[in-house]
């Protein structure tokens, strides 16, 4: 009885799926394919190699420091970094005193100790990076109706995170003539900017970086490509400040377990040596 | 129950004798997983995965309790408290990655454990109850994992919760009120997050309870084995300790190598990047997908695109998705073969390996793919095979198949195998 009911239920589900499949296939095969500009012209991120890649990954602190400088001088005008505190900068190789001095160069919201009114005061190491806009409405108003996203987790919140950041920053270009020919309606609207690495190709953010925009004290290269690398490296750090520790912890753990596996295998062979199985 | 030749617990140490009179816990352990529990001597590596699943449950409970000490189940701060765990709590990142990847590891070993059950018909009499309890555990795991994924309150948390609870909305008449009741509102918000956290904390202990019943039921007939022939004599068995403690120890160590490699070197490989974006009810992600371990069932859900007369396609998909798991409850009775092990069922073995495995692999892939053609058509084909496999092929093949002769006993099978190997 169970088998009979089962077969009937099976015929229903499988049969209906096959009917659906047949009709779906006919529709799919007979209808013309509609392509979209996003589908044809969207590009996967460029290859990016950073010191933080892979199981031996660690932070290139010089590079992350440079990335921080670019964030401070350029990105922070519009993008917040709300999960990162000034005290975290110590992980980049700055001393406690340097961090204190650095924090004081930022103005953060505070309360006047006498009047209790809202005010701005120099930052302390315990403060988090301040937001550039008081609220989303202000952020939209200043940015052509788009909210600049928080950057703390950007390197983990997109597919191919760091490579995506790098590609987006260095990928602005003129809209290809082939695109306009094929999809005239997909012309980049006024106020937006064409970037093939962005999912819908048109981005509210104007190209933020250009050759030589930020100068480094040690004379490190500061062309667009180098700046894109540095920002990507910095955002990998903000997204996962524990990365170096994670990899450094992982190796002893995994190697110990490999050794344990060998021992356990030998113990297993030893216990079973006289038992055919 | 045990076999009459099982070793007897005979404590010699006076303290252990005293203990045995007052609280015979050592005796219990001895008889359950010690030298007093005879187990078939021919269990292969497929039989390692039950122990691994139990170990994964322990990982999840321990890491989960620690995470709960730092997590705040409130829609305003849940995302930030998760980041607080990742950044400021000592070893918090390790606990969270161990927990997130622990869920994946749990599903990997449980899927293999279940497939072992299929391949060797472990569900057949006299082990139906073990199987039924196992399916209950799997359903509880799915509910627990789903609610756990909501807790970080990222974009996929929110939209996953919305889509999955939306499935209940497909039920005629009561659907919409039911969905609102489940969520405590019209969309996932604080009420839903709080109750999901509460239930996510509770359910693992319910799972633990059912696991105890699962193992208790297992100890009545004892383990099945790769030949499918029941234990007949003492030479068919070995004591659980030291034989299977040694083999499970090896399996566990090997498992931990792979698991820790994920935790430390690619902790986000199995997750979705969108869940690092805070939940935003006003911005729908381009592709809403659940965690990878739900993909086969998600693919079945989305394979139904046509209404069947008065039954809407969405309801059909929901029914099919639940039916895809509920059908496992009926396996002991759908399969009519007198033989258990697929080693002696040549035709059914082919269907498992060359029908079911490719279909399941396709469903795993397609559930994570966008709901576009040609993916949907492949989902329909694979889902059609999935139902046909359990509900049509298995019952019919089990009745008509000509099986190979079974060995007389486990010992005979073991000696024949090793004799053949020695003669070569």
């Amino acid at each position: 009885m169970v088998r009979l009911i089962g077969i009937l239920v099976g015929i229903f589900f499988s049969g209906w799926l096959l009917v659906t499949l047949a009709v779906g296939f006919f529709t799919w095969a007979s209808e013309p394919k509609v392509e979209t500009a996003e589908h044809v012209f969207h590009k996967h991120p460029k290859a990016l190699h950073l010191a933080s890649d892979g199981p031996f990954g660690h932070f290139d602190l010089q590079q992350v420091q440079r990335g921080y400088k670019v964030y401070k001088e350029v990105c922070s005008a519009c993008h917040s970094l709300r999960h990162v505190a000034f005290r975290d900068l110590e992980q980049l190789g700055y001393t406690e005193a340097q961090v204190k001095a650095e924090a004081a160069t930022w103005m953060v919201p505070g309360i006047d100790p006498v009047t209790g009114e809202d005010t701005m005061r120099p930052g302390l190491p315990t403060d988090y990076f301040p937001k550039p806009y008081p609220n989303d409405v202000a952020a939209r108003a200043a940015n052509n109706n788009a909210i600049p996203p928080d950057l703390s987790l950007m390197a983990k919140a997109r597919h191919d995170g760091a490579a995506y950041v790098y590609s987006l920053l260095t990928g602005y270009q003129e809209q290809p003539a082939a695109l306009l020919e094929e999809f005239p309606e997909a012309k980049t609207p006024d106020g937006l900017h064409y970037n093939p690495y962005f999912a819908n190709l048109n981005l509210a953010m104007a190209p933020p970086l250009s050759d030589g925009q930020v100068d480094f004290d040690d004379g490190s290269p500061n062309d667009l490509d180098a700046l894109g690398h540095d920002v990507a490296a910095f955002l990998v750090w903000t997204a996962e400040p524990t990365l170096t520790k994670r990899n450094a912890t992982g190796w002893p753990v995994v190697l110990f377990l490999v050794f344990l596996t060998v021992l356990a295998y030998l113990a297993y062979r030893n216990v079973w040596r006289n038992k055919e199985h | 129950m045990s076999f009459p030749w099982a070793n007897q617990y005979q404590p010699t140490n006076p303290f252990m004798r005293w203990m045995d009179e007052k609280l015979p816990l050592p005796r219990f352990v001895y008889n359950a997983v010690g030298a007093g529990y005879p187990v078939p001597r021919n269990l292969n590596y497929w039989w390692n995965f039950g122990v691994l699943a139990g170990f994964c449950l322990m990982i999840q409970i321990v890491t989960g309790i620690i995470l709960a000490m730092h997590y705040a189940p409130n829609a305003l701060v849940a995302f930030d408290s998760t980041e607080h765990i990742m950044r400021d709590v000592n070893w918090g990142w390790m606990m969270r990655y161990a927990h997130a990847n622990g869920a994946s590891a749990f599903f990997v070993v449980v899927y293999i454990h279940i497939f072992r059950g299929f391949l060797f018909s472990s569900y057949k009499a006299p082990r139906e109850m073990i199987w039924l309890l196992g399916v209950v555990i799997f359903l509880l795991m799915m509910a627990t994992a789903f609610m756990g994924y909501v807790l970080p309150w990222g974009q996929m948390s929110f939209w996953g919760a919305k889509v999955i609870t939306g499935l209940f909305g497909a039920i005629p008449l009561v659907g919409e009120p039911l969905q609102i009741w489940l969520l405590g509102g019209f969309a996932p918000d604080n009420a839903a997050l709080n109750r999901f956290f509460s239930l996510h904390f509770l359910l693992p202990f319910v799972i633990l309870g059912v696991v105890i019943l699962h193992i208790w039921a297992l100890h009545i007939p004892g383990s099945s084995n790769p030949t499918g022939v029941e234990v007949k004599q003492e030479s068919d068995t070995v004591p659980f300790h030291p034989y299977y403690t040694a083999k499970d120890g090896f399996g566990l160590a090997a498992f931990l190598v792979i698991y820790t490699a994920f935790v430390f070197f690619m902790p986000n490989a199995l997750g979705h990047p969108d869940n690092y974006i805070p939940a935003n009810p006003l911005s729908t992600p381009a592709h809403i997908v659940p965690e990878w371990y739900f993909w086969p069932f998600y693919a079945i859900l989305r394979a139904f695109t046509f209404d069947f007369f008065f039954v809407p396609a969405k309801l059909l998909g929901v029914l099919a998705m639940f039916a895809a798991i509920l059908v496992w409850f009926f396996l002991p009775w759908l399969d009519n073969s007198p033989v258990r092990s697929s080693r002696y069922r040549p035709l059914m073995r082919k269907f498992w390996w060359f029908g079911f495995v490719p279909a399941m692999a396709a469903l795993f892939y397609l559930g994570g793919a966008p709901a576009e053609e040609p993916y949907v058509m492949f989902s329909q084909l694979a889902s059609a095979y999935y139902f046909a496999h359990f509900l049509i092929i298995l019952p019919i093949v089990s009745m008509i198949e000509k099986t190979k002769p079974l060995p007389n006993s486990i010992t005979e099978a073991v000696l024949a195998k090793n004799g053949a190997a020695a003669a070569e």
Side-chain angles (χ1 to χ4, degrees), chain A residues 225-250:
Chain A
D225 192 70
L227 294 178
H229 271 90
D230 294 347
V231 172
F234 174 65
L235 292 185
V236 171
W237 173 74
T238 62
E240 183 127 349
T242 53
L243 181 143
T244 302
K245 188 178 184 188
R246 171 160 65 72
N247 285 324
T249 313

Side-chain angles (χ1 to χ4, degrees), chain A residues 213-268:
Chain A
Q213 186 163 359
V214 177
D215 284 318
F216 299 116
D217 298 340
D218 63 353
S220 295
N222 61 353
D223 55 287
L224 173 61
D225 192 70
L227 294 178
H229 271 90
D230 294 347
V231 172
F234 174 65
L235 292 185
V236 171
W237 173 74
T238 62
E240 183 127 349
T242 53
L243 181 143
T244 302
K245 188 178 184 188
R246 171 160 65 72
N247 285 324
T249 313
W251 279 106
V253 170
V254 170
L255 290 177
F256 167 77
L257 286 168
V258 168
F259 178 62
L260 182 71
T261 306
V262 172
L263 287 186
Y265 180 71
L266 295 175
Y268 157 61

Side-chain angles (χ1 to χ4, degrees), chain A residues 46 53 69 78 118 138 144 187 192 218 226:
Chain A
K46 301 184 243 188
D53 295 345
K69 189 167 190 218
C78 304
D118 288 341
N144 202 9
K187 186 176 176 349
L192 297 186
D218 63 353

